[in-house]
Amino acid sequence: MTARCVMVLGTTSGAGKSWLTTALCRHYASRGLKVAPFKAQNMSNNARVVAGGEIGSAQYFQSLAAQAEPEVRMNPLLLKPEADTRSQVVLMGQVNEALSNMPWRGRSLHVWPQIAAALDELMAENDVVVIEGAGSPAEINLHASDIVNMRVALHANARCLLVSDIDRGGAFAHLYGTWALLPAEARLLIHGFVLNKFRGDASLLAPAPQMLQDLTGVPTVATLPMWWQHGLPEEDGVFDDRTRAYGAVSKTVAVIAYPRISNLDEFQPLKNVPGVRLVWARAPADCAGADWIVLPGSKATATDLAWLRTQGLDRAVAAHAAQGGAVLGVCGGLQMLGEALIDTHGIDGNAPGLGLLPLVTQFDLQKTVRHTHTTFGELHGVWSALSGVAAAGYEIHHGQTAQHPAMAAGGNNAREVLADGLGWQNAAGNVLGVYLHGLFEDPRVLQALFGASAPTLETVFNGLADFIETHFEPGVLDQLIAP
């Protein structure tokens, strides 16, 4: 079995590569083909636990859309940014300290053999491999060390789609400029241009698509309408700050969007629950009127905690909690809610916590990466609906958190609501901290908290496939995998 490879490239980050790759995975899988996704290198703090370690969240969802078991070969290299000039390097699912400490441009020689081997194995085992690029393939300063765009495309002899976000403007210039800056052999692999996020009458685009084809020989094979609620989370960050809700708003949830936010994709279901309004909060004003404030995960907990204080968000969270408002901390957010962060290994940094839970976190060299099934104990106050609710999710963290002995002795106890140090609640009942990612992806939790559910992933994937089948030119999707 030698797979046909289809690759999705973009003129920019945020052009729509990830969701289009996901849609293609479901389209081909629905035709009875054995399909696997692949992205050589992903730079993201959104990660999932899979067989062999962790991969980018986008490839996790793509594998589910492809009806394949998620595994590390689908994203052999994951870079998790910890600062503007430093990332934790995860190779084949595992943290690699040597690569993390290596100059960025020097890594490609060391990692390409494993990337190529992973792709070759997937090609040998599948009918179709749908490959996602990263950023733009026309970043000519990076051509010499490229391991994720055209080097992959040439290795796989992939038929490539080049996507541009027309809502941002300049789409035809982006498409032509990207094509023109590619090496001649790489241009031959571009089989179609895709205009994404179009609003209005598509007939008004003429004669630009034909002019572009006259210049490049490449047809525009799809004009995809703007689609706000396709159901997948943003891959690279909070691109869409719009605060929408289905129906009348009954609950506003403000999620603190610190610079190194991680696993933000786990909050996507909240966008799809009727009556829930999700707000990404970067300033105290964004928290005004919120029913819940959520402190999400962070790839740099101490640094993000310092940013939170600089913004004045620490005072906003404390005031909200003091008034009895619901506060939830997830993973790094749980660590921030405690009394202190202690780092004797130089992993994340020392810092005083927000003091809303009598807990202390100590950072460990050993990273916890695992799937977790658990059941909430008895909770009271605003979180009491979770009492006895079973939940499944995942853990990715260095810190180990426990109750502060002196505070426990003084009577300032936290109620342990999840076994094995996975969750605590304050005495007043309105502040909850958990290590469990993916809480809102569990339908049992959504039902308990909101009395409602969000669309299932299967519904989302099928909707994506239907969307591209409707809007691609007839026959194009079949031609991409034809012998």
Side-chain angles (χ1 to χ4, degrees):
M1 185 182 293
T2 301
R4 297 297 303 176
C5 293
V6 178
M7 188 166 186
V8 181
L9 303 165
T11 56
T12 61
S13 292
K17 295 185 294 291
S18 295
W19 84 261
L20 181 53
T21 301
T22 308
L24 289 169
C25 284
R26 175 48 58 99
H27 168 80
Y28 292 123
S30 68
R31 275 146 179 73
L33 299 169
K34 188 177 182 186
V35 182
F38 181 81
K39 185 168 185 174
Q41 174 183 285
N42 195 345
M43 179 175 280
S44 177
N45 278 328
N46 300 323
R48 295 287 170 140
V49 177
V50 302
E54 55 182 312
I55 64 173
S57 291
Q59 284 64 64
Y60 171 83
F61 288 119
Q62 288 160 7
S63 66
L64 298 183
Q67 300 173 337
E69 182 69 26
E71 46 131 324
V72 296
R73 292 183 301 175
M74 296 168 176
N75 176 209
L77 189 65
L78 175 62
L79 308 181
K80 306 185 80 172
E82 298 175 323
D84 288 345
T85 58
R86 184 181 72 254
S87 294
Q88 182 183 69
V89 177
V90 179
L91 180 64
M92 297 301 289
Q94 301 297 317
V95 174
N96 189 306
E97 291 295 342
L99 289 173
S100 298
N101 295 324
M102 187 178 294
W104 187 82
R105 291 182 183 273
R107 290 180 191 146
S108 58
L109 287 175
H110 296 270
V111 299
W112 175 251
Q114 293 188 66
I115 288 172
L119 177 55
D120 289 342
E121 290 170 7
L122 291 176
M123 289 172 61
E125 298 168 13
N126 291 276
D127 299 310
V128 178
V129 175
V130 186
I131 305 171
E132 182 185 342
S136 164
E139 292 165 342
I140 54 178
N141 56 312
L142 305 179
H143 274 177
S145 55
D146 173 40
I147 54 171
V148 65
N149 285 313
M150 300 320 295
R151 187 172 185 181
V152 171
L154 289 163
H155 182 86
N157 191 28
R159 293 175 180 175
C160 301
L161 298 171
L162 181 60
V163 186
S164 187
D165 178 355
I166 196 169
D167 190 52
R168 295 184 177 187
F172 293 108
H174 285 165
L175 290 167
Y176 178 74
T178 301
W179 176 88
L181 287 173
L182 294 178
E185 69 273 18
R187 290 182 196 168
L188 296 175
L189 299 180
I190 307 297
H191 282 248
F193 295 138
V194 176
L195 297 169
N196 189 28
K197 301 182 184 178
F198 180 73
R199 291 191 263 196
D201 181 357
S203 67
L204 298 178
L205 294 172
Q210 185 58 52
M211 294 171 67
L212 188 61
Q213 184 170 352
D214 293 342
L215 288 168
T216 64
V218 179
T220 297
V221 296
T223 299
L224 305 176
M226 179 68 78
W227 190 11
W228 295 115
Q229 292 285 1
H230 52 62
L232 284 180
E234 294 288 357
E235 158 62 1
D236 296 316
V238 186
F239 276 100
D240 180 13
D241 278 350
R242 296 167 179 83
T243 55
R244 294 182 177 82
Y246 287 118
V249 175
S250 59
K251 190 178 296 294
T252 297
V253 179
V255 179
I256 307 295
Y258 11 80
R260 301 298 171 192
I261 185 173
S262 69
N263 300 81
L264 61 86
D265 51 291
E266 66 181 303
F267 302 107
Q268 174 66 36
L270 294 180
K271 295 182 180 180
N272 304 325
V273 174
V276 174
R277 175 174 172 260
L278 180 66
V279 177
W280 298 107
R282 297 184 179 86
D286 298 330
C287 297
D291 298 288
W292 296 1
I293 294 179
V294 179
L295 281 70
S298 167
K299 191 62 189 73
T301 309
T303 301
D304 277 345
L305 183 53
W307 172 88
L308 187 139
R309 287 192 163 103
T310 300
Q311 302 300 113
L313 281 161
D314 58 330
R315 296 188 296 275
V317 173
H320 182 79
Q323 294 166 6
V327 176
L328 172 66
V330 179
C331 197
L334 157 66
Q335 296 167 353
M336 293 181 191
L337 290 175
E339 295 291 337
L341 308 176
I342 300 174
D343 184 4
T344 58
H345 302 291
I347 294 168
D348 198 284
N350 299 291
L354 298 177
L356 296 181
L357 287 171
L359 307 171
V360 173
T361 295
Q362 188 136 3
F363 289 105
D364 226 349
L365 287 173
Q366 185 67 33
K367 188 176 187 180
T368 300
V369 179
R370 64 189 176 197
H371 291 287
T372 301
H373 295 266
T374 187
T375 301
F376 281 94
E378 183 183 354
L379 289 86
H380 57 281
V382 296
W383 300 106
S384 60
L386 290 174
S387 296
V389 174
Y394 59 100
E395 297 174 62
I396 303 179
H397 56 93
H398 278 284
Q400 301 298 323
T401 301
Q403 187 145 203
H404 192 287
M407 291 192 169
N412 184 16
N413 291 320
R415 179 193 297 263
E416 189 168 359
V417 295
L418 288 174
D420 302 319
L422 289 179
W424 291 266
Q425 184 183 34
N426 68 340
N430 62 316
V431 179
L432 175 66
V434 298
Y435 264 121
L436 192 66
H437 285 293
L439 203 59
F440 299 116
E441 296 172 342
D442 192 314
R444 296 168 295 187
V445 171
L446 288 182
Q447 188 63 41
L449 290 174
F450 304 106
S453 60
T456 66
L457 282 174
E458 282 298 297
T459 300
V460 170
F461 297 147
N462 290 333
L464 293 173
D466 291 344
F467 185 75
I468 62 170
E469 289 161 13
T470 298
H471 295 291
F472 266 74
E473 292 295 321
V476 168
L477 298 177
D478 291 336
Q479 291 167 11
L480 289 172
I481 62 167

